Amino acid sequence: MPEEKTMDFAWVRQFLSDNAEADYQKFSAGLVPGCDNMLGVRIPKLRLLAKQICRQDFRAFLQAKPDEYFEEIMLQGLVLASAKMPMDERLQWLAGFLPQIANWSICDCTCTTFNLKKPQDARQMYSFLLPYANSPLPFARRFVLVMLLAHYLQPDYLTDILRLIEEIAGGEYYVDMAKAWLLSTLFVKYREEGLAYLRQSRLDDFTYNKSLQKILESRRMLPEDKELIRSLKRK
């Protein structure tokens, strides 16, 4: 890890305080069960703040790991995913951050912030993710699934993704829902591969049927496939 540094975070806390909305806090807290440390700052405002931190000594911010508030943990994810640094360093920060993820919101927002357009970056991240498929931490496993959804739904990865959907341990709601989300999106994008998998899937009934439900809810689904998908539902 980079050498530890100190930084005055008073301005970060002030920004969070100035942009906290009581009504939004009440609404958002209802969507993130168990989160009792939320101030109520909207995600676009947090992304703006993360950009400001990235232009300063972002390593000191990451080293400090501020975590009194939900928004501070979210900021850690946004900063480590977007600050300019070598991928090797980014993955070191990410390894330290994953155990802090305790809800779907921080998990998913962090996943969608990474820029993996460079093939080497994508391959390096993929190698990093694979061991976490067996993590005892449910949100680390969800992180793998959402990263696959956000960055790896491509022909070269389809076989691996379908294998991981089955191999990653489920049984936790937010892991199972991530599997369903990933599988439904894969079906809509790669119909033949997705259909072949569904016809021989060994997923548990809850996750399997949730996948079908999400496929049916997709606006990109072909109308003629609706009856087919309904016919695959397990009783």
Side-chain angles (χ1 to χ4, degrees), residues 2 9 15 32 49 64 88 194:
F9 299 111
F15 182 102
V32 187
L49 179 55
D88 287 344

Side-chain angles (χ1 to χ4, degrees), residues 104-162:
W104 67 266
S105 182
I106 290 173
C107 173
D108 297 6
C109 285
T110 301
C111 288
T112 56
T113 301
F114 286 98
N115 182 341
L116 299 177
K117 292 182 179 179
K118 294 181 180 179
Q120 177 57 34
D121 287 348
R123 288 192 295 269
Q124 199 169 348
M125 174 64 79
Y126 190 75
S127 296
F128 169 87
L129 291 172
L130 289 179
Y132 287 95
N134 299 312
S135 172
L137 302 173
F139 282 103
R141 301 200 301 277
R142 180 181 172 97
F143 188 91
V144 174
L145 293 162
V146 178
M147 285 293 288
L148 294 175
L149 171 63
H151 303 287
Y152 295 97
L153 275 181
Q154 305 162 20
D156 290 347
Y157 293 98
L158 289 186
T159 300
D160 266 8
I161 288 174
L162 291 171

